[in-house]
Amino acid sequence: TTHSYIEALKHKTKAKLAEELGAQSLTREEASKKISDILKSAGSHFKTIAETESTKVRNLGKVAGITKVAADMGVTDPYCYFITVKDSKVCKFCLDAHTTDGNIPKVYKLSEIKISYLTKEERGHMCSVSGQHPRCRCSLVMLPAGYGFKNGRIVFIGLDHDEYKAQKN
């Protein structure tokens, strides 16, 4: 998939260069500026592809680990949540989908989390291992039995505690 995105970017960049440079007479400086602008844009798109695919691979690796640990514990559909980076760059899609109030992580069953990318309509109310959006920085984590959240932090509450059910009530 990543290779396909990079190949598409390569072809788009070549087409853009041909379109911008071949359609008009340009001075050397004008041509140099257009080339620089187009390559800068391609570099930005490449960075988006790399960051987005890295999040997907990181979280898919976590799914494999979570699935293995859960199976060893006899759990068929483990509880998970996303760690959301809460800084000036955090977006509303991540806060809406990953937290109950901007602070407490929402708990999901692993089966409720999509693997594929989300559509624009799904962002904010569904979750995906592939991220909420391009350049998403949120990370998937398994919630162990008996644990929950207090003041936005994970804590052991008790052996009979079920955070998933507590959040649904």
Side-chain angles (χ1 to χ4, degrees):
T1 304
T2 305
H3 178 72
S4 296
Y5 289 137
I6 292 170
E7 283 296 307
L9 176 61
K10 180 175 85 172
H11 293 298
K12 178 181 174 184
T13 302
K14 285 169 71 174
K16 186 76 170 167
L17 284 166
E19 177 185 334
E20 291 289 327
L21 300 177
Q24 51 191 315
S25 296
L26 299 172
T27 66
R28 184 181 186 112
E29 292 80 23
E30 291 170 331
S32 179
K33 172 79 167 107
K34 285 196 179 280
I35 291 169
S36 178
D37 290 347
I38 291 167
L39 292 179
K40 184 178 179 180
S41 175
S44 176
H45 288 151
F46 183 85
K47 185 176 179 182
T48 297
I49 292 167
E51 289 175 355
T52 302
E53 292 298 302
S54 294
T55 294
K56 181 179 180 180
V57 169
R58 180 183 68 241
N59 282 336
L60 283 172
K62 290 182 179 188
V63 167
I66 289 168
T67 302
K68 170 76 170 107
V69 168
D72 290 347
M73 295 172 19
V75 176
T76 57
D77 199 5
Y79 295 157
C80 300
Y81 65 98
F82 286 85
I83 296 174
T84 303
V85 180
K86 294 181 183 134
D87 60 11
S88 62
K89 295 178 184 177
V90 69
C91 74
K92 68 180 184 96
F93 299 118
C94 292
L95 289 175
D96 290 347
H98 297 158
T99 66
T100 59
D101 63 357
N103 189 37
I104 299 170
K106 281 185 188 173
V107 178
Y108 294 91
K109 292 181 179 182
L110 186 57
S111 64
E112 296 173 338
I113 301 171
K114 285 183 71 168
I115 298 295
S116 62
Y117 291 112
L118 298 174
T119 65
K120 287 182 180 180
E121 296 76 31
E122 293 171 327
R123 291 181 187 161
H125 62 87
M126 290 185 72
C127 285
S128 173
V129 169
S130 299
Q132 289 304 109
H133 52 80
R135 293 190 177 183
C136 183
R137 301 172 294 155
C138 300
S139 295
L140 184 68
V141 180
M142 180 177 166
L143 180 68
Y147 281 79
F149 301 98
K150 288 195 178 174
N151 300 322
R153 301 211 180 265
I154 187 169
V155 294
F156 180 75
I157 295 177
L159 293 175
D160 60 341
H161 180 72
D162 187 322
E163 185 67 16
Y164 180 83
K165 288 180 183 173
Q167 287 189 7
K168 297 297 179 199
N169 292 335

